[in-house]
């Protein structure tokens, strides 16, 4: 089903989850302790120490999540009416600090490391920036948000699935940061595109809107299903183009068109990454740990606002061309 098919938690659950989550985190840590001990002994058999690495990373990420939630509570107590001038900035600092801790843990325990294929250009200073990124492999959204926040020094405003509100930290923190939670497919009548437009409309000069046009992580099965849907919808040209993509899903264009229509003044970054896209099953991911010789390699190209088309057919064609370039680069790197 994927995240897109999972509805958001009901209002009651959204109120209860933040309270019970720290207790649940403590319980999960207790349950994980014997697994960590077993993993330490199992490392004598499995020289990669995968069970030990994964269990330690999991516990570490749980407490990064809890700490970020508690930092949100601290800000709430400090400013209960949310009127402080630095209210949003303070939450952004919590977000960046949490991303940094998560990336440090990822590198320490499983060798997850972000590297750049080439220098990145982050758009013209003072102009808004939107980033359309490939969606594939574990942790790609966290890695790209971290990269944009720490390297570009632009605050990511993320378009993400509403199912992620089941994590009370994500629900609390990213709501205060004006990110947009896309309603699930079960949310009949919800205008998803309007939410993307509103997010784009509110971009500040030091923000970057991060959107994943594919809508879901790549897998061969999803690729085949999406090509079939394009054909059934009569979009034969786009289906033929999608057939030429071996490592990416055909990008959806409604959100992209909405962003570019709302912010024709924005520079546009196209972001590709390689190294993890073919790890589409738990078994493949497990076998690849640790990722010592498998960097998360990022390649990006930024287009000035006047280089990007402004009518719908031209935008769709332009986006397909950019995704073909990403796919060719990924194929060259991963083959």
């Amino acid at each position: 089903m994927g995240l897109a098919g999972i509805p958001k938690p009901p209002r009651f659950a959204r109120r209860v989850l933040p309270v019970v989550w720290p207790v649940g985190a403590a319980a999960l840590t207790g349950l994980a302790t014997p697994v960590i001990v077993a993993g330490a002994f199992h490392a004598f058999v499995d020289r990669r120490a995968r069970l030990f690495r994964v269990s330690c990373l999991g516990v570490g990420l749980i407490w990064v999540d809890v700490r970020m939630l508690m930092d949100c509570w601290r800000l709430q107590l400090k400013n209960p009416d949310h009127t402080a001038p630095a209210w949003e900035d303070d939450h952004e600092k919590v977000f960046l600090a949490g991303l940094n801790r998560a990336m440090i843990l990822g590198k320490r325990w499983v060798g997850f490391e972000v590297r750049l294929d080439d220098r990145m250009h982050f758009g013209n200073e003072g102009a808004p920036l939107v980033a359309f990124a490939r969606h594939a492999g574990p942790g790609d959204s966290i890695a790209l948000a971290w990269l944009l926040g720490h390297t570009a020094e632009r605050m990511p405003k993320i378009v993400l699935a509403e199912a992620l509100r089941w994590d009370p930290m994500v629900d609390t923190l990213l709501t205060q940061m004006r990110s947009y939670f896309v309603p699930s497919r079960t949310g009949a009548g919800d205008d998803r595109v309007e939410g993307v437009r509103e997010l784009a409309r509110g971009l500040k000069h030091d923000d970057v809107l991060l959107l994943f046009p594919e809508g879901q992580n790549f897998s061969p099965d999803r690729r085949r299903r999406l090509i079939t849907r394009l054909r059934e919808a009569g979009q034969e040209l786009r289906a033929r183009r999608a057939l030429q993509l071996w490592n990416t899903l055909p990008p959806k264009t409604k959100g992209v068109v909405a962003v570019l229509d709302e912010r024709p003044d924005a520079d546009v970054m196209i972001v590709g990454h390689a190294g993890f896209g073919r790890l589409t099953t738990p078994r493949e991911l497990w076998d690849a740990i640790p990722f010592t010789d498998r960097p998360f390699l990022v390649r990006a190209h930024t287009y000035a606002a006047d280089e990007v088309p402004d009518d719908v057919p031209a935008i769709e064609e332009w986006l397909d061309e950019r995704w073909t370039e990403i796919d060719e680069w990924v194929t060259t790197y991963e083959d």
Side-chain angles (χ1 to χ4, degrees):
M1 176 173 60
L3 290 177
I6 301 175
K8 68 179 180 181
R11 182 176 299 180
F12 173 76
R14 291 178 66 189
R15 291 177 178 175
V16 172
L17 283 171
V19 178
V20 302
W21 173 224
V23 178
L28 289 173
T29 302
L31 293 172
T33 299
V35 178
I36 293 173
V37 174
F41 283 103
H42 189 254
F44 291 104
V45 178
D46 177 12
R47 294 298 182 182
R48 296 186 182 184
R50 287 171 287 195
L51 180 60
F52 180 68
R53 292 174 182 274
V54 170
S55 53
C56 287
L57 176 62
V59 170
L61 291 177
I62 284 173
W63 287 104
V64 167
D65 190 284
V66 171
R67 178 171 176 175
M68 294 168 75
L69 178 61
M70 290 183 171
D71 284 341
C72 290
W73 292 352
R74 175 179 56 80
L75 294 176
Q76 175 72 33
L77 291 173
K78 183 180 177 181
N79 181 34
D81 56 0
H82 307 176
T83 56
W87 172 255
E88 186 174 331
D89 291 341
D90 288 341
H91 283 83
E92 291 174 350
K93 291 176 183 177
V94 170
F95 179 66
L96 290 180
L99 287 180
N100 206 41
R101 294 187 194 103
M103 294 298 294
I104 290 172
L105 288 173
K107 184 175 181 179
R108 175 183 300 167
W109 290 111
V110 295
F112 185 90
E113 183 178 8
V114 177
R115 296 183 189 172
L116 299 180
D117 182 55
D118 201 352
R119 290 189 63 184
M120 298 178 71
H121 175 57
F122 301 110
N124 296 306
E125 187 175 351
L129 177 68
V130 298
F132 302 133
R134 180 196 185 201
H135 205 4
D140 68 330
S141 55
I142 294 175
L144 294 177
W146 171 83
L147 180 65
L148 291 169
H150 284 274
T151 305
E153 297 184 350
R154 286 179 180 259
M155 183 54 53
K157 303 299 178 183
I158 309 172
V159 178
L160 66 167
E162 198 167 37
L164 293 173
R165 288 190 185 274
W166 283 98
D167 181 335
M169 182 280 295
V170 172
D171 189 13
T172 302
L173 181 56
L174 270 68
T175 296
Q176 299 302 330
M177 290 175 55
R178 297 183 293 110
S179 289
Y180 174 56
F181 292 87
V182 181
S184 70
R185 296 193 186 104
T186 59
D190 289 314
D191 187 350
R192 300 170 184 170
V193 174
E194 181 54 37
V196 176
R197 284 184 176 276
E198 183 177 351
L199 182 60
R201 194 179 304 132
L203 280 181
K204 297 183 291 188
H205 72 279
D206 56 350
D207 290 338
V208 52
L209 189 155
L210 178 58
L211 186 146
F212 299 89
E214 291 157 291
Q216 54 190 332
N217 269 314
F218 170 85
S219 74
D221 288 341
R222 284 172 177 161
R223 173 182 175 271
R224 286 190 290 269
R225 289 196 298 268
L226 285 171
I227 290 172
T228 300
R229 290 175 189 169
L230 287 172
R231 284 177 165 167
E232 291 175 349
Q235 301 182 42
E236 190 60 35
L237 176 59
R238 299 204 72 222
R240 288 200 300 270
R241 286 175 175 168
L243 279 169
Q244 300 173 14
L245 305 177
W246 294 101
N247 297 286
T248 57
L249 300 177
K252 301 174 183 178
T253 58
K254 285 186 178 180
V256 172
V257 170
V259 169
L260 296 181
D261 180 62
E262 193 66 40
R263 296 308 300 259
D265 58 328
D267 296 330
V268 178
M269 176 184 286
I270 302 294
V271 185
H273 57 83
F276 288 77
R278 294 187 180 179
L279 304 181
T280 59
T281 67
R283 179 69 186 189
E284 291 169 342
L285 183 60
W286 180 263
D287 288 343
I289 295 171
F291 309 123
T292 308
D293 299 319
R294 184 193 292 266
F296 183 89
L297 190 65
V298 178
R299 181 184 184 185
H301 186 86
T302 302
Y303 298 84
D306 58 9
E307 296 180 279
V308 181
D310 56 5
D311 63 280
V312 174
I315 290 173
E316 292 178 346
E317 183 177 359
W318 181 82
L319 189 64
D320 282 337
E321 291 172 354
R322 303 291 76 77
W323 243 247
T324 298
E325 293 169 356
I326 290 176
D327 193 83
E328 291 173 349
W329 173 73
V330 172
T331 301
T332 300
Y333 179 78
E334 295 190 343
D335 281 349

